Amino acid sequence: MIATVDTAAWLVGKSFDCAFDNFAPRLTVLSPTEMRVQATLGETNIDEVVKSAITDVRPGLVVVNWTEQNGNFVVQVQDHQNGVVHNYARMADGQVFCARGMLAPSAPV
């Protein structure tokens, strides 16, 4: 039997910057099921609200997933205690983007 895990309500209303090599998205948790994704990648600016799922693994460690309007599917393991984020994405064109970065709280925009 699989136990149901509560969503990470403690993240609602908070923003976080995910610093990867050339890419630094800002994520703002609007509710347990919605998140704002903001990023600049080259000349492309992303600013959209997406449906998301957040699951607590242990205190300070969550798994988050969402699908962007362009079809990119993203899964992150966010370790808020240690300031580390692991990103796994299947891009709409079939490419895979996996990266480890730093996770830091930021002021909501």
Side-chain angles (χ1 to χ4, degrees), residues 28-98:
T28 302
V29 180
L30 303 174
S31 76
T33 61
E34 280 190 324
M35 185 171 56
R36 182 177 181 192
V37 178
Q38 298 169 282
T40 300
L41 186 56
E43 294 184 20
T44 303
N45 291 312
I46 301 165
D47 188 352
E48 63 185 75
V49 174
V50 297
K51 296 289 182 196
S52 61
I54 305 170
T55 304
D56 279 309
V57 176
R58 63 161 166 73
L61 183 70
V62 296
V63 176
V64 183
N65 73 71
W66 68 90
T67 302
E68 297 172 353
Q69 292 172 2
N70 62 9
N72 295 343
F73 177 71
V74 182
V75 176
Q76 287 188 343
V77 177
Q78 299 177 352
D79 184 343
H80 292 269
Q81 288 181 342
N82 294 306
V84 177
V85 59
H86 299 272
N87 191 89
Y88 306 92
R90 166 117 9 232
M91 311 312 278
D93 64 5
Q95 294 183 61
V96 175
F97 171 69
C98 297

Side-chain angles (χ1 to χ4, degrees), residues 5-23:
V5 180
D6 292 334
T7 59
W10 58 275
L11 288 174
V12 174
K14 296 182 180 171
S15 292
F16 302 92
D17 292 326
C18 304
F20 302 110
D21 287 336
N22 323 354
F23 184 56

